[in-house]
């Protein structure tokens, strides 16, 4: 395992953040996040199916525009992950060229929330964006996810759009 970052969180705990292409590990870490979506919107999201998720992530890890980061409690226990996409848009008559890191997902296991682990993971991927000269980070979250709203506002994310739908 290649250790990209480590920070002493408590006297006895050393946390590690690694980049991974292990689709099986990503899929298993994704389950918590996905199950929450299924619970909120069961007519949109399919129930979690490990093999299908592994196949999907296996295709994504091969694309240089997608990166996956794992936060480890120790060398064997992943407790969180982030999936980001590096998006570059050319200038058009409507918009300037943009380099945006889009956070598809960031998730910390329930037992490890509220201890600065999400901060550590977000700070790490923010530094990755800066290293790549990406000066904008975007993401979305459900309007009813007040924890996410508070977390991202605390990290200076600014709301700039609202997405709506109409069920027919």
């Amino acid at each position: 395992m290649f250790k990209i970052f480590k920070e002493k969180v408590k006297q006895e705990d050393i946390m590690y953040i690694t980049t991974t292409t292990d689709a099986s590990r990503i899929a298993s870490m994704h389950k918590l996040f996905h199950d929450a979506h299924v619970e909120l919107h069961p007519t949109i999201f399919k129930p979690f199916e490990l093999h299908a998720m592994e196949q999907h992530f296996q295709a994504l890890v091969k694309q240089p525009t997608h990166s996956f980061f794992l936060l480890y409690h120790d060398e064997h226990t992943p407790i969180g992950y982030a999936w980001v996409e590096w998006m570059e848009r050319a200038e058009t008559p409507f918009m300037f060229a943009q380099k945006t890191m889009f956070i598809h997902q960031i998730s910390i296991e329930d037992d490890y929330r509220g201890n600065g682990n999400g901060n550590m993971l977000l700070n790490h991927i923010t530094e990755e964006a800066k290293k790549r000269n990406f000066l904008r980070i975007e993401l979305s979250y459900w309007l009813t996810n007040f924890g996410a709203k508070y977390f991202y506002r605390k990290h200076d994310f600014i709301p700039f759009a609202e997405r709506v739908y109409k069920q027919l």
Side-chain angles (χ1 to χ4, degrees):
M1 176 185 321
F2 179 70
K3 296 174 186 168
I4 295 176
F5 175 89
K6 68 180 177 181
E7 177 177 319
K8 193 164 188 159
V9 177
K10 295 181 188 171
Q11 190 107 11
E12 68 277 4
D13 293 340
I14 300 291
M15 308 301 266
Y16 299 93
I17 297 175
T18 65
T19 302
T20 187
T21 58
D22 182 343
S24 295
R25 178 71 73 173
I26 296 165
S28 65
M29 294 300 296
H30 176 75
K31 185 177 187 327
L32 174 69
F33 195 92
H34 188 80
D35 286 349
H37 282 101
V38 172
E39 186 176 328
L40 284 170
H41 296 283
T43 61
I44 297 172
F45 294 96
K46 296 178 180 181
F48 183 85
E49 202 285 307
L50 182 61
H51 182 68
M53 292 290 177
E54 287 173 343
Q55 288 182 318
H56 183 75
F57 286 118
Q58 187 60 46
L60 287 176
V61 298
K62 295 176 182 174
Q63 297 179 21
T65 55
H66 292 267
S67 295
F68 298 88
F69 302 91
L70 293 177
L71 171 63
Y72 282 84
H73 172 68
D74 56 38
E75 292 196 24
H76 307 289
T77 311
I79 61 166
Y81 94 109
W83 165 18
V84 304
E85 183 174 1
W86 308 100
M87 300 170 22
E88 296 190 48
R89 294 188 176 110
E91 183 174 340
T92 70
F94 306 101
M95 297 177 73
F96 295 108
Q98 295 181 39
K99 290 175 70 171
T100 303
M101 181 184 78
F102 186 85
I103 302 174
H104 283 281
Q105 293 159 4
I106 186 168
S107 180
I108 303 296
E109 296 286 337
D110 288 339
D111 291 345
Y112 294 91
R113 290 185 182 172
N115 298 319
N117 295 315
N119 296 333
M120 188 184 317
L121 189 52
L122 182 59
N123 290 341
H124 179 77
I125 61 178
T126 298
E127 289 305 312
E128 281 294 311
K130 290 177 183 177
K131 286 179 194 173
R132 295 177 184 223
N133 294 317
F134 279 69
L135 302 178
R136 185 178 176 102
I137 300 173
E138 292 183 12
L139 56 89
S140 64
Y141 55 84
W142 297 107
L143 290 174
T144 56
N145 188 343
F146 299 110
K149 179 179 181 177
Y150 171 76
F151 179 77
Y152 293 117
R153 295 267 172 95
K154 180 176 81 171
H155 287 278
D156 300 323
F157 282 77
I158 301 165
F160 70 96
E162 188 168 315
R163 190 172 166 185
V164 299
Y165 73 95
K166 179 180 178 179
Q167 189 72 41
L168 302 178

